[in-house]
């Protein structure tokens, strides 16, 4: 498995947020071991582009429980949920295929404030979908006749949307490809071309390409490509298999050493309702040991984003 471990970005200051509860563990970057079975994709770190930093900061990893929900909750809800067992939250920050395209809460100030509270963020991009996607509602977003060009364009769109929110380089951006018809080889090939092009562009621009999909379709197909030695695969695998209990390292379609260490998320339950601090949300449950968004302080100042009060308290001198 490809792991991207890069030198620290000079001059970048991160929030020194309150430490998560003892059930949550933030891990330092680690070099991934190559899978024991089948060749791993060749390393392809972010390229330096005109105007980009010569060196990028190392990714930040988080191990613990996470939730995702269609629309970013208000900061009041996020504050109430700090008493929950969750330490990270998935945010649907971009893409034409989002189920909740109007994200009225999701602003640079929200990202800065949620991060300052101690939340770790998982940015999800729901763009074009497999031509044979199962969901009727997603079929209007099918990948077109030029999957490589489309994937490249949407990879750039993802980076621009993330950057506009104050999500810094070396952050993972998770491409959401919903479940599609299993066994349709032409559809799978088109989808793979799109995904690989998206990955290349996201990586070229200094971010980590992640991938979310059903364990039995998108994830199964990418694991087959990994074993075949295909290049330009994602750095992080987020697989959905709703069995009610986490199985982060024992998913049957993945080789035990594929996308390890610190590069897996398991969505193990969906469409459940939970209440903390008097606030109720409909969520999907996840277990993770994977990269999370970096939220550099300079990006907030450059964008003129109001600094949350907690930032002053926890900012490094």
């Amino acid at each position: 498995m490809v792991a991207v471990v890069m030198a620290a970005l000079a001059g970048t200051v991160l929030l020194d947020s309150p430490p998560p509860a003892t059930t949550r563990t933030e891990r330092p970057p680690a070099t991934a071991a190559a899978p024991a079975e089948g060749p791993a994709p060749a390393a392809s770190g972010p390229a330096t582009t005109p105007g980009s930093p010569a060196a990028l900061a190392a990714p930040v990893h988080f191990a613990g429980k996470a939730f995702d929900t269609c629309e970013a909750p208000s900061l009041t809800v996020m504050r109430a949920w700090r008493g929950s067992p969750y330490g990270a939250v998935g945010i649907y920050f971009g893409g034409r295929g989002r189920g909740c395209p109007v994200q009225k809460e999701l602003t640079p100030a929200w990202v800065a404030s949620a991060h300052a509270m101690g939340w770790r963020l998982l940015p999800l991009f729901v763009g074009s979908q497999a031509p044979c996607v199962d969901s009727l509602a997603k079929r209007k977003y099918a990948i077109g006749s030029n999957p490589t060009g489309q994937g490249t364009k949407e990879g750039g769109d993802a980076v621009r949307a993330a950057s506009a929110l104050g999500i810094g380089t070396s952050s993972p951006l998770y491409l959401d490809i919903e479940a599609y018809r299993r066994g349709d080889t032409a559809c799978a090939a088109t989808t793979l071309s799109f995904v690989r092009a998206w990955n290349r562009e996201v990586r070229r621009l200094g971010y980590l390409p992640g991938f979310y999909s059903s364990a039995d379709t998108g994830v199964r197909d990418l694991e087959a490509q990994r074993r075949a030695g295909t290049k330009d695969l994602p750095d992080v695998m987020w697989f959905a298999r709703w069995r009610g209990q986490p199985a982060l390292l024992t998913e049957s379609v993945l080789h035990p050493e594929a996308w390890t260490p610190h590069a897996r998320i398991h969505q193990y339950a969906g469409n459940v309702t939970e209440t903390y601090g008097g606030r109720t949300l409909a969520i999907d449950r996840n277990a993770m040991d994977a990269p999370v968004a970096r939220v550099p302080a300079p990006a907030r100042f450059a964008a003129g984003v109001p600094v949350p009060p907690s930032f002053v308290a926890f900012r490094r001198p």
Side-chain angles (χ1 to χ4, degrees):
M1 168 56 201
V2 177
V4 182
V5 180
M6 295 164 283
L9 172 59
T12 298
V13 181
L14 294 180
L15 286 179
D16 190 3
S17 303
T22 55
T23 55
R24 307 170 189 133
T25 304
E26 277 190 301
R27 300 182 182 274
T31 302
E37 179 178 338
S44 177
T48 300
T49 55
S52 68
L56 296 171
V60 175
H61 297 84
F62 174 82
K65 290 188 175 182
F67 76 90
D68 62 276
T69 188
C70 191
E71 188 172 346
S74 70
L75 290 172
T76 299
V77 173
M78 296 302 293
R79 191 171 294 108
W81 272 53
R82 284 303 291 153
S84 76
Y86 300 103
V89 56
I91 52 172
Y92 291 88
F93 75 97
R96 67 190 190 110
R98 284 184 294 179
C100 294
V102 179
Q103 298 276 340
K104 62 181 183 294
E105 300 287 347
L106 191 54
T107 64
W110 186 97
V111 168
S113 297
H115 190 269
M117 287 180 201
W119 287 103
R120 297 300 169 252
L121 308 179
L122 299 168
L124 282 149
F125 184 88
V126 191
S128 296
Q129 297 294 306
C132 56
V133 62
D134 289 343
S135 170
L136 291 175
K138 300 292 186 186
R139 290 183 183 173
K140 60 184 175 182
Y141 306 117
I143 299 164
S145 59
N146 181 11
T148 299
Q150 199 168 351
T152 301
K153 177 188 178 301
E154 293 190 28
D157 292 343
V159 167
R160 284 186 289 275
S163 180
L165 285 172
I167 296 170
T169 54
S170 299
S171 296
L173 304 181
Y174 293 95
L175 176 62
D176 183 326
I177 295 291
E178 295 294 305
Y180 52 86
R181 187 166 58 243
R182 187 172 169 182
D184 188 328
T185 55
C187 176
T190 296
T191 305
L192 177 64
S193 294
F194 173 87
V195 171
R196 292 179 66 203
W198 192 93
N199 292 344
R200 282 193 298 271
E201 186 66 2
V202 166
R203 190 176 283 124
R204 185 183 73 83
L205 295 173
Y207 289 74
L208 305 182
F211 181 76
Y212 166 90
S213 192
S214 162
D216 282 331
T217 54
V219 174
R220 182 186 295 271
D221 287 345
L222 283 195
E223 168 65 353
Q225 294 299 321
R226 183 201 66 82
R227 293 182 184 227
T230 301
K231 296 181 180 180
D232 301 319
L233 296 184
D235 290 326
V236 194
M237 183 60 73
W238 188 342
F239 56 95
R241 190 181 293 282
W242 293 0
R243 288 182 171 169
Q245 295 295 324
L248 189 63
L249 299 178
T250 56
E251 168 52 44
S252 60
V253 305
L254 293 174
H255 186 276
E257 294 183 32
W259 284 283
T260 62
H262 317 313
R264 286 192 186 190
I265 305 173
H266 178 201
Q267 187 182 86
Y268 61 90
N271 299 328
V272 298
T273 300
E274 297 189 28
T275 302
Y276 297 99
R279 303 286 179 162
T280 301
L281 290 175
I283 66 168
D284 299 332
R285 296 170 178 159
N286 304 273
M288 66 173 291
D289 182 359
V292 291
R294 293 176 60 90
V295 184
R300 295 180 200 144
F301 299 133
V305 178
V307 179
S310 56
F311 176 75
V312 178
F314 298 110
R315 185 182 176 190
R316 290 175 181 165

